[in-house]
Amino acid sequence: MTRTAITPGVYEHYKGKRYFVLGLSRNTESNEVCVVYRPLYETDWPQLVHRNADMFFEQVEVNGMQVPRFRLIEPGM
């Protein structure tokens, strides 16, 4: 499923770290849609990162249960 919109704001990864989602981007060569976000913790890598939108929105298995890889916890821009 190709995503065309995302709610900007703070998302929590299923492992517990938080990120601020800025929006979606599209690769001009492959047409792949990605989610652009920045970590809300100190890192030694670039401030902005992206992940394939299909992977960002997918469900993952944790302790035998399906949970979202990322979940919106605080909408806002």
Side-chain angles (χ1 to χ4, degrees), residues 19-76:
Y19 303 85
F20 189 88
V21 168
L22 300 166
L24 298 177
S25 68
R26 182 176 299 278
N27 182 306
T28 58
E29 297 295 319
S30 68
N31 229 19
E32 175 184 49
V33 175
C34 291
V35 177
V36 179
Y37 55 99
R38 65 178 173 80
L40 293 176
Y41 57 90
E42 192 169 324
T43 70
D44 59 353
W45 35 281
Q47 290 297 313
L48 293 178
V49 293
H50 71 272
R51 180 185 294 255
N52 173 289
D54 290 338
M55 182 183 281
F56 186 93
F57 290 109
E58 76 182 352
Q59 299 282 307
V60 295
E61 187 174 324
V62 177
N63 297 324
M65 297 181 63
Q66 293 292 313
V67 299
R69 181 179 297 276
F70 290 88
R71 67 183 180 93
L72 178 64
I73 60 169
E74 187 180 325

